Amino acid sequence: GIIGMASGSFDLMGWMQAMGEGVMGMSELIIVTLLAGGMLALIRHNGGIDWLIRVLTRRINGQRGAKLTIALLVILADLCTANNTIALITVGPVARDIADRYGVDRRMSASLLDTFSCFAQGLIPYGAQLLMAAGLAVITPFDIIAYLYYPIILGTIALLGILFRFPRKYA
C-alpha cells in the first residue's frame, strides 16, 4: 500500500477500497470453508471418515504407503474442488488419522498435504491460477500447461522424497 501511494498508483482511499474488496473476496471463501467443515463433521459423525480410511488404507504396509495415500488423497480433493483451501480442510482430518495410524510425523503429513495440493492446483486447467493467467494472456489454459515446469518439478521431487525416504529425519 505504501509503495502504491508513493508511486501515485492510488491514494489512501484507493488503498482502503482495495483492502475492502480483498476482504469481500475472502468472505466467499470463508463461507465455502465453513460449509465444507460442517459437511465433513456430518460425514465423520455418521462413520464416513472411518469407512474412507479403511478403504484407503486397505493395502498400506508402512509409512511410505501412508505418505503416498495422503498425497493421492489431497490431489483427488483438489481435482474435485479446484481450491487448495477446501481440499486441505476436507482432507486434513483424514490425513491426520492415516498419519497417526502409520507413524507418519504430523509435520510431514502437513507438508505432503501442502506440497501435493500445490502440485495439483498448479496443473488443473480449471483452477483459479490457470484461468486467471489464460484470461490475462487471452489464450486457453491448455496452452499454458506445456510450460508449467514448477508444479511438475515440485510434484516430481516430492514423490521422489517419499519413494527414497527423504528427509531421513521424518522417514
Side-chain angles (χ1 to χ4, degrees):
I2 293 170
I3 293 171
M5 289 192 315
S7 68
S9 298
F10 51 83
D11 58 5
L12 182 62
M13 290 308 292
W15 184 17
M16 296 296 173
Q17 182 180 359
M19 286 193 309
E21 289 171 6
V23 169
M24 291 307 292
M26 289 299 293
S27 67
E28 295 171 7
L29 182 61
I30 290 168
I31 291 169
V32 172
T33 302
L34 289 172
L35 291 172
M39 183 176 63
L40 186 64
L42 284 172
I43 292 169
R44 181 180 290 277
H45 177 73
N46 290 307
I49 300 296
D50 293 332
W51 175 83
L52 182 62
I53 290 171
R54 276 195 310 277
V55 169
L56 290 173
T57 60
R58 192 175 300 157
R59 291 189 172 91
I60 294 177
N61 293 324
Q63 283 189 3
R64 190 181 303 167
K67 291 175 184 179
L68 290 169
T69 301
I70 290 168
L72 180 62
L73 191 59
V74 77
I75 288 170
L76 291 174
D78 214 332
L79 291 173
C80 292
T81 62
N83 185 301
N84 283 35
T85 304
I86 303 301
L88 291 171
I89 288 171
T90 304
V91 173
V94 178
R96 183 181 56 234
D97 290 347
I98 292 171
D100 289 346
R101 185 174 294 179
Y102 290 94
V104 175
D105 188 278
R106 284 189 176 185
R107 293 170 292 186
M108 173 60 79
S109 176
S111 178
L112 292 170
L113 287 172
D114 183 48
T115 302
F116 282 97
S117 72
C118 289
F119 161 73
Q121 186 68 32
L123 292 176
I124 55 177
Y126 50 89
Q129 291 89 337
L130 282 183
L131 289 175
M132 185 180 296
L136 290 171
V138 194
I139 56 176
T140 70
F142 295 104
D143 294 331
I144 300 172
I145 290 177
Y147 302 99
L148 296 176
Y149 303 115
Y150 177 77
I152 293 169
I153 292 170
L154 176 69
T156 302
I157 291 173
L159 182 61
L160 289 172
I162 292 171
L163 295 177
F164 292 109
R165 295 185 172 120
F166 184 80
R168 296 269 185 230
K169 180 179 179 179
Y170 301 107

